[in-house]
Each structure stands twice: as C-alpha cells, then as structure tokens.
Amino acid sequence: MSLRCLFLTYFAGLTICFSPLAAMAETPAERDARMEWWREAKFGMFIHWGVYSVPAGTYHEKQIGGIGEWIMRQAEIPVAEYRGYAQDFNPVKYEPEAWAKLAKDAGMRYVVITSKHHDGFALYDSAVTDWDIADASPYGKDLLKPLAQAVRGEGLKFGLYYSQAQDWTHPGGAKAGYGEGDSWDDASKGDFDEYLKTVAVPQTEEILTKFQPDILWWDTPVWMSAERAAPLNALLADHPQIITNNRLGGGFRGDTETPEQHIPATGYKDRDWETCMTMNGTWGFKSYDHNWKSTETLLHNLVDIVSKGGNYLLNVGPTSEGEIPQASIDRLHEIGKWMDVNGDSIYGTTASPCRIPVWGRITSKPNRLYLHVFDWPADGKLVVPVEVAHVGACRALADPSKTYQVSASEAGVVVQLTGSALDKIDTVLQLDIEGTPTEIIERIVPGADGKVQLTAADAHGEGSVQQEQIDGKTSLGFWTESQDKVAWYLDLPAGRYQLQATVAAPSTSKLTASIGAAKASVAVQSTGSYQEFESQDWGTIEVAKAGECVFELQPVKAGWRPINLRGVTLTLAE
C-alpha cells in the first residue's frame, strides 16, 4: 500500500494523468450493469499479507518506522537477506474458510487480497519467478485458490491486489525514492521495461487466468507511461466484467477512485469511489502496533463513506502463521452485529441528498431516507434539511415498534424524538418519503458582532478535500488537487469585506476568492507545516448586492500547494 504522504515524499516530481486513453466500448447502461454488485456491496475486506509479516516491523532488533509491509524499503534490507525471511513464512494456522466467514459475518460483501506486494513476493505458485509461496517458503503451496473458493462459497466477490510497477526484489522493478532502474542493492537494479515485460505482464495474466478475480486492484503507478501501461490494460479485454481501480497509471482511469486513509468531504460526484483504511496504523502486520481504532470509529467511517456515495475497504493484516489479529476479529464481529440490525441502511443506498447534519449522517433509497443518529439531540428535535413532496412514517430499525412524530418546517423535515438512543454508536431511523428530496441550504449570516464566520465544518468541498481533526479542531485538508474548491452559502449586506483566514501550510500557495463576479487574489504564506496554524490577512472582497451569495475558494493551478484551512472570517470594512 502506498500512502499519500509517501507518494508526496517520493514522487513529488511525478505527474500522473488520469484521463482515459483507451476505454473499452461500453455503454452507460452496460457500465451500470457491470458495476451494480459493487455499488450495492458498500463494504469489503482488504488483506495485506506476505513475507513482511515475519519481521513484523522489526529489523536487527530495531523497530522500523512506517507501515509494516514497507519494511524492506524503509530499512533498505538487501534482497538476499530479505529473501531469507521467506523461510519463516509458514502460515500453518491459515484457515481460509474462517477468514471468508469472518468477512461475511462482519457484513462485508467482497474480499481483496494482495497477490503480490511491493516486495515482489507472490502468494500463489507463479511460473514467472521462484520468489513465491510455493518455491521460497516451507509452506510450499498456493494461498489464494483456497481463499477464492472460500470467499465465493460464502456468496462474496473475490478480488486481487497487484503491485504492477513497484517491486523491490526483482531487477528493474521501481524502488520508491530511487531513479529508474536504481536501487539500494545491486541485486535489484535493472531495466524497468524489461521488468514489466518479463514479470508484471505475465504475472498479471497469470492471476487473471488462474483466479478470475472480480476486482483487480493495481497499486503505485510510478513511471507508468501510456505505452508501459497499455499491455497490462490490454489483458483486461478477456475479462469484460472485471472492476479495476485508478492506480494502473499511464492515463488509464479504471472504474474507481481510491482515497487512502481518509474520507473525501463530499465524495466524488462523477466517479465510483472506495476509501481503503487500516484498523490500526499499518496494512501489513506489525507486532507492536496496538493503536486500534474503536468499533465506534470504524462504524462511523463506514456510515460517513456510504453517506457520500462510496465504498469502505477495511484492512486486516494477518501474522506469518496465518492468523488475523484478535483485535481485528473482535471489531469485525461487533460491526457485524450492528449490520445485522441496520444493514438495510447501508446496502444498495446512495449518497445523502443534503449536507452533513450536526447529529449524524443520512443514506438514501427511493422514497426512503435513513437517519444515522450519532448524537441523540438533548431536545429531541432532529432536523433533516430537505424538502419533500410528502413525509410518511419514521421508525427505528432496531425496534420498528418505536415510531416518531414527523412534521415539516422552513428548516426541513423535523423528527421529534422520544426516549433515548437505542444504539450508543448509531441509532438508525427509517423515514418514509414521497418524491425526490431537495436540500434546503442554510445560509450563513453575520453574527451579533457583524463578523461572518466560515468554518471548515460548514464548508461544501469538492473532490479530495476532507474535513479532518487536528488538535481537536476541524480543518479542511487533503486539498491536493488544483481543480477542487470549497464554498460557503451566505446571506450578506453589500459592502467591502476584510478576509482573515486561519491556515496551516508548509509552503506558499495561491488561491482565488470569489463572491459572484467579484474576485480577489490570495497569497497563502508558509506557516512551516500542515499542523502549524496561524491567522493571515487575505485582503478584501466586494459584495456588490445584498442578499444570498456563495463564497468560493479556488486554487490557482500554477501556484497551488496543499494547505490545511480551519476557517475564514469576513468582516465588513468601515
């Protein structure tokens, strides 16, 4: 797995184009039919497993920082020495049927496992190399086929991850932070094109033929030009129902966006997408990483993602003996219990028709809204900021006998709650409606002091922009793409407004602020890091006409560098 921060560090000079070059002839209706099961599923299991589970984060008695599966690269372990770990990779406790059942019981609908990660080690018997489970380990047999059979036996879909470009063992494979063909070890130096021809392409053909995966999950498209990616993409022609992600490179977009370890603020409006996340701090097993996310956090992540139209791919990292850590098992069982009761509010739903409410999240089906109440209102008043033709009954999924009174107001549909929350993590209410819900925009107005406070929590972001917590305060981060913008909906008096922002930025950057036709150029000054926030004067902007308006911040492409933004204050000038 290649974390965004590692990409920004190692490949800062790499430009990756995601415009389609050679999409297969497919009508929108055919695409919808192919993607239907994936869009219904919402929840899947990621499995990162390999030789890296043997050192488990420790090399020469030293704990190596970073994610567990990157230990070979992080510690620059020589190829010959790393290959020795395979002699201790003997998963005699591997029970593929138990893994498949665990995924099914957790409410997951598909499983994706690493067939080959960046260390180049294959979890199946590959004719391309002897650096695989059958030839290099005492276990001596394929790990993927029995899992594929078990997963499909539970009625789930089966997918494979494949690192097509980055390979730290085979000569010529890309090595993060090194130039093309270079490495820390002469044994793995070589020609990248030869590597693609003799390893990546034939191995991809192998896994497609042997396992007929429903998903092919490429990773790290470093150095992948259109010419280099084309032979890999061409292999998909014989598998017209397969679903692929956006990490092949060379301009081939695949079917899904893959935000990693974060949830975009608004999802992707025109693309299917899937957030992949770890349960602790690592993908591959690290013996000393006990920083486990709570079941509450994992469930809230699932609901948040689904409420924005995405899927959740949640990772487990088995040990070298083939055991999934008990902490992961416990959390998956707890998630499964919640899904048994509330699964209807997840599977087959679409994104919320409105902004994030203060009390939780919303998922949607035709003529039905699911209200995910994270925080039970003290006054019992739940406002859903939508307008509909007619509202019907509202009941709790956990206890359909519990119904709640519903009414309409200028602010939206109001549900009057009684009693207390039925679930401390997420009480789900089913609200029956008629007609397509329309969002009621809540306009921000000046406060009693005349100032207009535009907070990160109230922002409407596009693309990869994410609301995140830094030092307990909400900010807008992961703002990496220059085409992404953020907006606030306002109702203001006319006049000239001073802009004051609270921002953190490791380098200078440029934005354009706009209200209607009025625009102002903004120069963001460096604060030293993404965590060091300071107040900055961003100049002034004119509101020509009183009333409803939209304040937008749009990066200037030529001068854009990512920032974290906590908020902007507009003050009417004297």
Side-chain angles (χ1 to χ4, degrees):
M1 179 60 54
S2 55
L3 292 181
R4 179 185 298 269
C5 60
L6 288 167
F7 259 96
L8 291 175
T9 300
Y10 292 134
F11 308 128
L14 178 68
T15 300
I16 300 172
C17 171
F18 288 119
S19 59
L21 295 181
M24 290 182 286
E26 184 180 44
T27 67
E30 288 171 337
R31 174 183 168 79
D32 289 343
R34 180 168 60 87
M35 297 297 297
E36 181 179 9
W37 76 260
W38 189 92
R39 293 170 180 169
E40 291 271 336
K42 297 302 178 187
F43 192 26
M45 176 183 282
F46 218 175
I47 304 174
H48 277 67
W49 196 26
V51 169
Y52 41 80
S53 63
V54 174
T58 300
Y59 177 59
H60 289 179
E61 300 183 350
K62 179 182 178 181
Q63 292 184 357
I64 304 301
I67 42 185
E69 72 282 7
W70 276 66
I71 189 170
M72 183 183 186
R73 168 62 188 87
Q74 298 293 72
E76 296 189 333
I77 302 173
V79 170
E81 185 176 358
Y82 190 81
R83 286 178 68 104
Y85 286 127
Q87 292 301 310
D88 294 318
F89 186 57
N90 191 21
V92 294
K93 296 181 181 179
Y94 175 44
E95 296 182 13
E97 293 81 9
W99 288 16
K101 188 176 187 302
L102 177 63
K104 176 70 173 293
D105 290 348
M108 293 162 160
R109 295 287 178 87
Y110 58 104
V111 173
V112 180
I113 186 172
T114 50
S115 63
K116 185 199 82 169
H117 205 271
H118 305 328
D119 63 357
F121 184 82
L123 296 187
Y124 67 99
D125 186 4
S126 174
V128 175
T129 178
D130 64 357
W131 182 228
D132 62 35
I133 186 68
D135 298 306
S137 82
Y139 192 74
K141 55 187 177 182
D142 181 12
L143 293 170
L144 299 184
K145 184 177 180 180
L147 182 63
Q149 291 174 336
V151 165
R152 288 172 169 144
E154 291 288 352
L156 312 181
K157 299 290 187 177
F158 180 71
L160 291 174
Y161 166 113
Y162 184 77
S163 174
Q164 76 278 7
Q166 189 153 202
D167 189 316
W168 303 326
T169 298
H170 293 100
K175 315 296 191 287
Y178 284 82
E180 187 171 319
D182 199 6
S183 174
W184 61 90
D185 185 350
D186 289 344
S188 60
K189 293 179 180 179
D191 183 82
F192 183 59
D193 289 301
E194 185 68 14
Y195 163 78
L196 292 176
K197 178 181 176 181
T198 60
V199 179
V201 170
Q203 277 197 330
T204 299
E205 188 171 18
E206 274 186 336
I207 62 176
L208 288 172
T209 303
K210 282 176 176 282
F211 307 109
Q212 297 291 316
D214 302 293
I215 298 169
L216 181 55
W217 217 97
W218 308 107
D219 200 18
T220 65
V222 59
W223 304 336
M224 293 297 288
S225 64
E227 293 74 20
R228 287 168 166 173
L232 290 159
N233 187 69
L235 296 172
L236 304 176
D238 292 332
H239 307 270
Q241 295 305 307
I242 200 166
I243 294 171
T244 64
N245 69 349
N246 63 338
R247 298 192 184 191
L248 173 58
F252 295 94
R253 296 188 71 187
D255 298 302
T256 63
E257 298 295 315
T258 53
E260 184 173 322
Q261 296 286 47
H262 78 281
I263 304 170
T266 58
Y268 294 80
K269 293 179 175 59
D270 60 347
R271 290 277 288 169
D272 292 291
W273 63 280
E274 170 189 73
T275 283
C276 54
M277 280 189 175
T278 55
M279 284 199 199
N280 52 356
T282 184
W283 302 92
F285 178 71
K286 285 181 75 172
S287 62
Y288 51 88
D289 185 349
H290 305 298
N291 186 28
W292 298 100
K293 298 178 180 71
S294 67
T295 301
E296 178 178 12
T297 295
L298 297 174
L299 267 174
H300 282 184
N301 285 344
L302 170 63
V303 173
D304 188 27
I305 290 165
V306 174
S307 77
K308 296 170 181 174
N311 283 19
Y312 191 28
L313 191 59
L314 184 58
N315 185 73
V316 297
T319 69
S320 61
E321 291 186 307
E323 292 184 304
I324 294 175
Q326 190 61 46
S328 294
I329 293 173
D330 292 343
R331 284 156 177 77
L332 290 175
H333 282 157
E334 290 166 356
I335 292 171
K337 291 178 181 177
W338 184 91
M339 292 287 279
D340 286 342
V341 174
N342 300 290
D344 283 348
S345 69
I346 299 295
Y347 304 124
T349 60
T350 54
S352 170
C354 61
R355 67 183 182 276
I356 295 173
V358 295
W359 41 262
R361 299 293 186 272
I362 302 171
T363 55
S364 178
K365 285 181 180 177
N367 296 317
R368 185 168 295 171
L369 297 178
Y370 294 100
L371 314 180
H372 295 262
V373 188
F374 296 171
D375 300 307
W376 199 260
D379 63 359
K381 187 177 180 181
L382 202 70
V383 179
V384 185
V386 296
E387 183 178 7
V388 296
H390 177 75
V391 291
C394 183
R395 62 182 64 85
L397 287 190
D399 184 357
S401 68
K402 288 191 176 295
T403 60
Y404 304 93
Q405 187 176 27
V406 181
S407 61
S409 74
E410 290 185 358
V413 177
V414 179
V415 179
Q416 188 60 52
L417 303 179
T418 56
S420 56
L422 302 182
D423 189 301
K424 64 180 181 179
I425 292 177
D426 177 9
T427 300
V428 184
L429 310 182
Q430 176 184 305
L431 176 64
D432 296 329
I433 61 173
E434 292 181 11
T436 302
T438 302
E439 180 177 11
I440 297 174
I441 300 293
E442 182 179 354
R443 301 278 171 172
I444 300 171
V445 298
D449 58 0
K451 295 183 178 182
V452 184
Q453 303 291 346
L454 309 184
T455 68
D458 290 330
H460 296 250
E462 290 187 5
S464 61
V465 183
Q466 175 197 357
Q467 293 179 5
E468 59 179 343
Q469 295 291 312
I470 299 177
D471 296 332
K473 296 180 180 179
T474 302
S475 66
L476 298 173
F478 292 90
W479 199 347
T480 58
E481 306 300 325
S482 61
Q483 69 267 24
D484 296 344
K485 60 185 178 182
V486 295
W488 290 263
Y489 294 87
L490 315 177
D491 190 343
L492 298 181
R496 180 168 291 275
Y497 287 83
Q498 182 72 40
L499 307 179
Q500 198 77 21
T502 303
V503 63
S507 57
T508 59
S509 193
K510 293 182 179 180
L511 288 161
T512 297
S514 64
I515 297 180
K519 299 183 182 299
S521 296
V522 173
V524 182
Q525 301 304 311
S526 171
T527 67
S529 78
Y530 288 119
Q531 287 74 42
E532 295 180 43
F533 286 86
E534 69 178 27
S535 179
Q536 294 186 5
D537 183 352
W538 279 6
T540 62
I541 193 167
E542 186 79 26
V543 176
K545 182 180 178 181
E548 296 181 351
C549 58
V550 179
F551 177 79
E552 289 186 339
L553 292 175
Q554 173 77 58
V556 175
K557 186 176 182 179
W560 177 244
R561 298 293 183 271
I563 67 172
N564 281 341
L565 180 65
R566 189 160 284 165
V568 181
T569 300
L570 279 63
T571 304
L572 189 60
E574 295 294 338

